[in-house]
Amino acid sequence: MYPPSRKDFISLTLSDPHSNAYNNGKHRRQSCWRKWKQLSRLQRSLILFLLALLLIFGLLSYPSIAEQWRGISDREEWLELNDRGLNAAPPGAKPELGPDAGKTPAPVAGPHLGPAVVPDVAVPDALGPDAVEELKGPNIPILAKPPIKKKPFPSKRGPPSLQKGGNVSDTAGGERQEQEVVHDEEGEEEDKEKKIVSWRGAMIEADQATEPPPSTNEKEAAAPPAPANPADTVSQTVSPGPVDRLEVVREAFRHAWKGYKDYAWGHDELKPISKTFGEWFGLGLTLIDSLDTMWIMGLKEEFAEAKDWVEKELTFQKNVDVNLFETTIRILGGLLSTYHLSGDQLFLDKAKDLGSRLMPAFKTPSKIPFSDVNIGKGTAHPPRWTSDSTLAEVTSIQLEFRELSHLTQEPLYQEVVNEVMKLVHKLPGKHDGLVPMFINTNSGQFSHKGVFTLGARADSYYEYLLKQWIQGGKTEDDLLEDYLQAIEGVKKHLVRQTGPGRLTFVGELSHNRFNAKMDHLVCFLPGTLALGAHNGLPGDHMDLAVQLMETCHQMYKQMETGLSPEIAHFSLQASDGHDIIVKPADRHNLLRPETVESLFYMYRYTKDTKYQDWGWEILQSFNKYTKVPDGGYTSINNVRDPVNPGPRDKMESFFLGETLKYLYLLFSDDLELLSLDKYVFNTEAHPLPIWPSPPK
Ligand code: DMJ
């Protein structure tokens, strides 16, 4: 048999217009050409004339069709420009203070202290139940933008206060909520122009992250402000791919900054949903934590206005209790790194002032510092309920104090923190290099022995062992010894693989019982292991880093929002279908940096672009589920519920100080942009110089 012959000409099926008869499907087929030939000359000329007319008409009407299309894309662009326009308020223009202005700030324990268990707060439907069906989910592209009326969010509770007084903004929630409603109604007209998608009460700006945004002007404007070291800014010759991603992170930073500037200027943290601020120490925490990020991203205007605030408003002469660790890593670290990048003496002067005010914390019987210092009165004390300090807190302030000594030629700063490391080095109670989570400020001994974790309360002890060794030019052998021993302890006691998918994770040990639980905080470890391997430590550290990096990536990828929970549990049973289990109390995401931090190290050292891609996915998820339309990003309650992620109304300072900075560095292909051979990043992502090795 032969296959049916292929037709090499186009034929049209023409039915006889005069015949209504049903011919049993046998229509007469004629080729166009034959039909054409049957026409008279006049008929043919007429048809040709008509065709020509049609063509001319088509050509004439093209601009208006094009206009219609352009109209759509112009609107998109306008909306983006509108966003930028709002960002571009004149430098120094100081936004109105929120309702808590002038109140005495009360300190609260920081998020590093670990996963705060916060019950889910029901968020009322903004559009009613029908809206869910209509919108179906967060991935709906919003092209035509019906004016959606934005309803105010109720104020949410943040993490519970662990210190006296609680968070000022939490206790003033009711009053603030009423004021917000008024504020919102005033802004209603403006809101109509905004690009908002709302479902089940979650108001998220339509995803702009996938658009390639940079304009030539913006790129020019982004040129960094006369760097002290020109290598510490973005190379202008990066390939087109990464440039888009860099610009998207920059846009995310601007959006976060806009929220902070509009509603929380000069205060510690933005509460982006209630459009107000939270106070922790009353020291402009977010502003200072963000300084070097702005420098690195080349955000000149933003940097200038922030610097102006530091110059005119920032004072440490305040009767306020601050947490030694948090203040050191975020504020002291931020000021020191900004001094190094900008060369501006202002930041060093502020760092010196703060450093000297933190010193009373070290006046303890054991020389293990107290957790809290009153920087105005010069007094220090442990938390109310204990005389213990957290292990990570007393062993993760060294990079900053040591650097302060270097810069000021005042050895005392370095001496007090080195003393802590010496004491911990000699202390009994470790378990193959793993350390307990608490240390007593009176006795100088570990307390609550027998519990070992690389998560909350212990994490950065391990990180700073390695980083101090690198900072000091790899000469301090005790630090290296403690680090190597600790990693052996981790491998021996804490590393396991899941049953179903063989994911490697770091669990916890509690009185010899293994707990298959890992905080998101532990995701700093792949980066630290990679840093060590790059500095000559064993190659199997890098192997472990690669495996753990995969697990941290899966902690995002396997969640419905693409964002990691605060804590993951892992299944050791091969029969359970899932590798990762998330308990209801652990489903929140605080915009933490650890995974993107490690992705940055992994990409720098391997050049494997999959790490950039993983970071890109995370950034897009942040944009989809945590971006607040009027400015800022918010922590969320439930990473498993893309329909109602449950905004928690808090933007942590580390989102700007760390998360966005590491994403930016991850997407940059410029290895000289904060070279890891020249800088060591403190645990809040503030780069400090590696000291030159002493002559041998
Ligand atoms: C930051 O303050 C620091 O990275 C700290 O080491 C851990 N906690 C937060 C970020 O999660």
Side-chain angles (χ1 to χ4, degrees), residues 149-160:
K149 189 176 171 195
K150 187 164 102 36
K151 296 216 173 151
F153 280 94
S155 285
K156 301 280 167 22
R157 283 178 51 226

Side-chain angles (χ1 to χ4, degrees), residues 111-113 289 325-326 329-330 396 459-460 463 520-521 591-594 597 653-654 658 682-685:
H112 82 282
L113 285 178
D289 223 358
F325 165 75
E326 297 289 358
I329 64 167
R330 301 190 198 208
S396 317
D459 48 359
S460 41
E463 178 188 349
H520 180 272
L521 288 167
L591 313 171
R592 285 198 191 275
E594 290 75 18
E597 168 185 355
S653 77
F654 51 69
E658 294 194 72
N682 87 340
T683 192
E684 189 76 6

Side-chain angles (χ1 to χ4, degrees), residues 23 53 99 135 205 235 257 299 330 399 485 491 525 687:
N23 62 4
L53 263 183
L135 295 171
E205 205 163 43
S235 152
W257 186 250
L299 297 171
R330 301 190 198 208
L399 290 177
Q485 218 177 18
K491 287 194 286 187
L525 190 58

